[in-house]
Amino acid sequence: MACDLEVARITSLPADGFYISDFISDDEEARLLHKVASAPLPRWTQLSHRRLQTWPSALTKNNTLLASPLPSWLVCPVIKRLKELGIFNDAPHGAPNHVLVNEYHPGQGIMPHEDGAAYYPLVATVSLGAPIVLDLYKKNIQDGKNDENLDGDALKTTDHIRRPQYRIIQERRSLLITGADLYTDYLHGIAETTSDEDLSPDTICNWDLLREKDPYRAGWYPRETRTSLTYRDVLKVAKMGNSLKFLGGR
Ligand SMILES: O=C(O)CCC(=O)C(=O)O
Ligand SMILES: [Fe+2]
């Protein structure tokens, strides 16, 4: 990680969590939202609680990305700036090769989950349009990893009714980086609510790094449509020629 990233570290989180509130400008945000909105309708996958675009394409069943460049609007300015920060220097391809675009209307969210082993354990999330709270949950033994701190009660609860251990406000135009233990040992999710509640310096772990605190001082903030761009490095990449062979050609 580059040194100047240290000022962006969310120090109350396990390593690694970084938050940069002013990552892109208003104009860059407007352009990105315009590009997302002007993608052809078949680009969207409608899920029950959000909709999703996958760039350059969905992974194959064995988590392989068919090599293909990302569109230029996803490269500049975001990947260019991630490279300047050196965030993906240690990743196998040195830069993200895959982007998910998630759109959440008020009342929508994403169940606690982990992003899994298909990716290098580092995610860069750019938020657009409106703020939203991301919840982090320590993984249970059932989630695949033993943890000596978990007691019997914690083992009986399921993720979506467990209380989050950490909460992060993601402002519009911000960048959130999650990696290392935070990637592998925690689940992340977004509550299906029309208002994010219980917001305070005590409950929000990146409070000190927020661009604006005043909107949240009342302790709640109404949801508006929020779009995220999540940048990742897919570990397995197949060149087209090889993948055609792999798909049954010769
Ligand atoms: O929208 C977000 O910030 C999170 C999206 C997410 O967790 C995912 O796409 O895996
Ligand atoms: Fe995720």
Side-chain angles (χ1 to χ4, degrees):
M1 298 275 174
C3 297
D4 54 355
L5 203 53
E6 278 309 312
V7 294
R9 187 179 285 278
I10 308 175
T11 51
S12 55
L13 283 180
D16 280 326
F18 299 95
Y19 181 78
I20 298 177
S21 64
D22 231 341
F23 185 64
I24 57 168
S25 69
D26 286 315
D27 286 354
E28 288 164 341
E29 178 195 42
R31 182 165 177 272
L32 284 166
L33 281 171
H34 174 73
K35 288 290 186 183
V36 169
S38 54
L41 210 52
R43 266 279 166 198
W44 287 105
T45 304
Q46 184 65 55
L47 304 171
S48 51
H49 299 281
R50 67 195 155 98
R51 59 176 189 158
L52 173 73
Q53 290 179 16
T54 307
W55 295 95
S57 61
L59 306 189
T60 67
K61 284 204 175 65
N62 71 350
N63 284 338
T64 302
L65 176 69
L66 302 183
S68 173
L70 286 164
S72 60
W73 60 273
L74 284 171
V75 175
C76 193
V78 172
I79 293 188
K80 190 171 154 278
R81 230 158 268 167
L82 294 175
K83 281 190 178 157
E84 283 162 13
L85 288 168
I87 291 166
F88 279 86
N89 279 358
D90 295 335
H93 304 100
N97 55 17
H98 194 252
V99 182
L100 294 180
V101 180
N102 278 295
E103 183 192 76
Y104 309 83
H105 293 300
Q108 297 190 318
I110 186 167
M111 293 281 283
H113 67 281
E114 57 183 321
D115 290 347
Y119 310 100
Y120 181 73
L122 185 67
V123 186
T125 305
V126 178
S127 289
L128 309 172
I132 209 161
V133 171
L134 185 79
D135 297 321
L136 297 173
Y137 303 80
K138 183 83 174 142
K139 265 163 86 169
N140 267 346
I141 290 175
Q142 300 112 303
D143 302 327
K145 199 158 181 190
N146 205 332
D147 187 321
E148 60 201 10
N149 296 322
L150 290 176
D151 58 27
D153 285 337
L155 292 178
K156 284 186 214 112
T157 59
T158 53
D159 300 311
H160 58 287
I161 58 170
R162 249 198 288 162
R163 278 167 61 86
Q165 190 159 350
Y166 300 105
R167 299 170 72 219
I168 300 171
I169 293 181
Q170 292 177 269
E171 296 166 283
R172 42 175 286 247
R173 305 198 285 103
S174 73
L175 173 73
L176 174 69
I177 305 283
T178 52
D181 293 357
L182 200 55
Y183 182 100
T184 49
D185 298 350
Y186 288 79
L187 307 178
H188 55 280
I190 292 172
E192 288 170 8
T193 182
T194 53
S195 169
D196 283 307
E197 310 276 340
D198 196 20
L199 310 176
S200 76
D202 295 334
T203 58
I204 297 298
C205 66
N206 62 328
W207 186 269
D208 291 341
L209 294 169
L210 293 175
R211 181 173 69 235
E212 285 186 297
K213 300 180 180 69
D214 284 348
Y216 313 109
R217 287 202 201 275
W220 64 282
Y221 197 87
R223 285 274 182 88
E224 291 156 44
T225 300
R226 179 264 188 175
T227 302
S228 64
L229 312 177
T230 51
Y231 285 78
R232 301 181 182 83
D233 186 0
V234 179
L235 299 175
K236 285 193 274 182
V237 178
K239 294 259 159 29
M240 274 315 170
N242 292 341
S243 36
L244 286 178
K245 234 181 280 163
F246 166 77
L247 289 170
R250 275 166 205 278

